[in-house]
Amino acid sequence: MSLNDNDRWLLSYYRSSEINAALFFGRVSRMVRPGQLQAEVTHHFADEANHAKYWNECINDLDAHPIKLRESYQDQYLEAVGTPSNLMEVMAITQVLEKRVIGQYHRQLRVPDLHPRVKQTLEQIMLDERWHIQYVREALENMEERYGAEHIEATLKRFTEADQEVYAKTLAEYGERVAFLAEREPR
């Protein structure tokens, strides 16, 4: 099976987003103090790089090559919310983005006639995404004493609202390429 243009574009978009996430977490892993969180962020960096590799392999296995894309979801997102000013904001942005990613991947898994190779890649990546959400949630809980639970909640709310706007813009901009994502989001 070869990929149609929309599927090739979407899988390339996933690949590009995973590359950007790996680069982001590579930078974050250098700034975090030694300890458990540094180890987890470094693991996250490696996971994201592997996810880009998995998408590359998936696209190649389907007799195609990734499309070189200029922009990823994270680029649009950081443009909307700005650069994080502290580690708590980095973790809050991460939590919101990871939930978006796993939600989007879940939605794609429900697409009729999804190619088994794409399904296998989605499921493989989602194992890591679940862990990302868990460790980030725990990191945010551990930051409550320093930042305050209310401040963290307000930050998550602000980033979630920005994410919803960016996601709506992405759906509008890429139209038919991501038509299956425009369906009503699961509750």
Side-chain angles (χ1 to χ4, degrees), residues 1-120:
M1 173 207 165
S2 61
L3 293 171
N4 67 40
D5 289 342
N6 289 340
D7 289 342
R8 182 174 170 229
W9 179 88
L10 183 60
L11 300 185
S12 296
Y13 189 76
Y14 290 164
R15 176 185 170 272
S16 179
S17 293
E18 299 288 2
I19 289 169
N20 280 2
L23 293 170
F24 176 77
F25 283 102
R27 289 188 301 273
V28 172
S29 68
R30 291 189 315 206
M31 82 172 198
V32 178
R33 291 185 180 140
Q36 181 66 28
L37 186 57
Q38 182 189 54
E40 290 170 336
V41 170
T42 302
H43 182 165
H44 194 157
F45 154 70
D47 284 349
E48 301 294 353
N50 278 326
H51 298 169
K53 180 182 86 167
Y54 301 155
W55 283 122
N56 206 90
E57 291 170 347
C58 177
I59 294 166
N60 287 194
D61 288 350
L62 296 172
D63 298 323
H65 296 288
I67 300 167
K68 184 176 180 179
L69 300 173
R70 293 182 178 265
E71 193 172 71
S72 72
Y73 190 76
Q74 294 94 327
D75 295 328
Q76 295 173 37
Y77 192 76
L78 290 175
E79 188 177 301
V81 299
T83 303
S85 62
N86 55 51
L87 187 57
M88 183 274 292
E89 288 188 358
V90 168
M91 293 291 104
I93 287 170
T94 300
Q95 187 71 344
V96 171
L97 283 172
E98 293 293 335
K99 285 182 175 183
R100 171 63 66 197
V101 167
I102 204 164
Q104 181 164 323
Y105 285 176
H106 271 293
R107 292 175 88 177
Q108 185 156 4
L109 283 171
R110 292 193 305 269
V111 170
D113 302 320
L114 181 67
H115 191 282
R117 183 65 177 92
V118 174
K119 180 180 180 186
Q120 181 266 328

Side-chain angles (χ1 to χ4, degrees), residues 130-169:
R130 287 183 189 97
W131 175 76
H132 297 166
I133 290 169
Q134 176 188 342
Y135 99 81
V136 172
R137 181 181 57 246
E138 290 169 3
L140 287 167
E141 288 169 1
N142 291 334
M143 293 178 182
E144 286 179 358
E145 187 175 316
R146 179 173 180 189
Y147 293 98
E150 293 85 20
H151 180 61
I152 292 172
E153 269 310 306
T155 302
L156 285 165
K157 183 177 187 277
R158 181 170 53 97
F159 291 157
T160 299
E161 289 168 356
D163 173 71
Q164 290 167 344
E165 289 176 25
V166 169
Y167 193 70
K169 178 185 168 201

